[in-house]
């Protein structure tokens, strides 16, 4: 198959590289010339484990190329994937579909022969209808079918997720489009990944429903964690106790600082708006959005409380800034609200993140950035673990404590519950986790 991938971001680049790895011929098109130049020079514009080697190999094999201009690749393609951003629209929280519609207009003029235009971006129900309308209006003679194929990969594990998905959802009512999509994903369902073919609207909604469900699961355990702190229970054990029930499952039951990232916040909000417009408000999801929004800033208050009620003039060291490990993505990361809350309260914030600091510098210029975890902790009054990077899971607690402020027991606020409270206390820390004891 010949494939054009519009947008070479986290989803487009990973999907394009993986599809090339299956043997398809893929051209990734991005409107940012620096991104394309960097890819053509063999440099990845994002951090995603294993991506550089996968891209290099497929470029070398002649199956993967990068361009800024779209017409040639689209004309030759059997399938054109739209994988551009769909951020929250400023002001009202609806999905901003301007990138998707721009891409549809650009694609329309370049189509040649039967082509399936596939929306891979996360888009609200009905967007496929609009993409189709735009294309047919711009190019009435085009032999085109518009399908939906939402992407479920997770940053940090994106290649494995794409190559071994739990399922592939394809939304189309057109047999020719379905045949093309089955061919695109044939290498995968040979590996037994179920391919679920639905109508277009159902596929579009499935993606939002999945993200809203996962966001609700995280928010649920976060609220249970708060209750645990008040009543002297341990959320880790509650999570295990409920997660062993197969109807519930153990995943997404880790209490923490609230969900962030480039998907959950904007997708839950967009779903809320879609549902309100449809006259069937999703009260549960509305509450999830509100609870999570409050939680991020509440984490700054938690740190302040752990520091005895004031952080004015104190140095607070943050380990981890990205919304999760193994990515450089800072979009809607809880660290943004936590840092703002601490700075508002008069703290001096120092931070270290293995991959996120380039983006973080632009977003949080008043933070002092450190070279590594120990340099970050130097002289600090409190150390806050915000993101559970592997590199933070086995820190030398003795060295950390000695590096930190020489005052009374330095504070360790473990927002990911990766340290054992008792051993942290043995090393001389005042430990504070999430949902672990009455004192927190
Ligand atoms: P991104 O911002 O990393 O990448 C989008 C890219 O599209 C950018 O490089 C941009 O320059 C390019 N672009 C925009 N308009 C273009 C045009 N007309 N022509 C060519 N290039 C254009 O975004 P992302 O994180 O890859 O997300 C893309 C979509 O996938 C979103 O709808 C998102 O919700 C969805 N999604 C993301 C993830 C994730 O983990 N990031 C997972 C599943 C789904």
């Amino acid at each position: 198959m010949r494939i054009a991938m519009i947008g070479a971001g986290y989803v487009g680049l990973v999907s394009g590289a993986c599809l090339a790895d299956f043997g398809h011929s893929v051209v990734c098109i991005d409107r940012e010339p620096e991104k394309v130049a960097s890819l053509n020079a063999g440099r990845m514009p994002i951090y995603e484990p294993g991506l550089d080697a996968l891209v290099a190999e497929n470029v070398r094999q002649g199956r993967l190329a990068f361009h800024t201009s779209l017409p040639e690749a689209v004309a030759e393609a059997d399938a054109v994937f739209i994988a551009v951003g769909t951020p929250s629209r400023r002001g009202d929280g609806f999905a901003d579909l301007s990138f998707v519609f721009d891409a549809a207009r650009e694609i329309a003029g370049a189509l040649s022969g039967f082509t399936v235009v596939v929306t891979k971006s996360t888009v609200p129900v009905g967007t496929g209808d609009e993409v189709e309308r735009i294309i047919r209006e711009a190019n009435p003679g085009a032999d085109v079918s518009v399908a939906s194929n939402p992407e479920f990969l997770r940053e940090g594990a994106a290649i494995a997720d794409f190559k071994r998905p739990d399922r592939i959802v394809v939304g189309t009512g057109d047999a020719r489009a379905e045949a093309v999509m089955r061919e695109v994903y044939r290498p995968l369902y040979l590996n037994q990944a179920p391919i679920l073919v639905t109508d277009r609207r159902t596929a579009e909604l499935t993606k939002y429903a999945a993200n809203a469900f996962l966001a609700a699961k995280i928010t649920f355990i976060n609220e249970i964690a708060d209750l645990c702190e008040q009543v002297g229970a341990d959320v880790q054990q509650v999570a295990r106790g409920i997660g062993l029930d197969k109807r519930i499952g153990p995943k997404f039951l880790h209490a923490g600082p609230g969900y962030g990232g480039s998907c959950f916040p904007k997708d839950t909000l967009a779903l809320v708006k879609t549902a309100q417009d449809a006259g069937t408000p999703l009260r549960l999801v509305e509450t999830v959005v509100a609870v999570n929004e409050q939680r991020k800033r509440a984490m700054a208050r938690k740190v302040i409380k752990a520091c005895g009620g004031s952080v004015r003039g104190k140095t607070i060291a943050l380990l981890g800034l990205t919304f999760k490990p193994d990515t450089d993505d800072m979009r809607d990361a809880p660290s943004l609200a936590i840092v703002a809350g601490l700075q508002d309260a008069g703290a001096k914030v120092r931070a270290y993140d293995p991959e996120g600091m380039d983006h973080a510098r632009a977003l949080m210029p008043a933070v002092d950035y450190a070279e590594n975890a120990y340099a970050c902790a130097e002289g600090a009054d409190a150390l806050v673990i915000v993101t559970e990077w592997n590199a933070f899971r086995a820190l030398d607690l003795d060295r950390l404590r000695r590096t930190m402020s020489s005052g009374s027991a330095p504070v360790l606020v473990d927002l990911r519950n990766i340290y054992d409270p008792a051993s942290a206390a043995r090393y001389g820390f005042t430990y504070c986790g999430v949902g672990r004891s009455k004192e927190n």
Side-chain angles (χ1 to χ4, degrees), residues 333-357:
S335 65
L336 297 167
I338 297 171
V339 166
L342 292 172
Q343 288 176 333
D344 288 350
K348 183 173 174 313
V349 177
R350 195 184 300 136
Y352 169 69
D353 187 281
E355 293 293 337
M357 292 200 292

Side-chain angles (χ1 to χ4, degrees), residues 6-12 29-32 35 46 68 70 83-86 99 102-103 106 120-123 151-155 207 262-263 266-267 323 329 331:
I6 317 295
Y10 288 86
V11 165
I29 295 127
D30 202 286
R31 56 155 59 148
E32 279 182 30
K35 206 171 253 191
I46 57 168
T68 46
L70 147 170
V84 301
T86 49
F99 298 106
D102 282 355
E106 290 167 44
K120 190 161 253 325
S121 300
T122 303
V123 293
E151 182 50 57
F152 297 94
L153 65 75
R154 295 162 301 169
E155 288 172 22
K207 171 66 189 178
S262 63
C263 291
K266 78 170 174 66
D267 293 347
F323 79 99
D329 201 340
R331 288 178 282 186

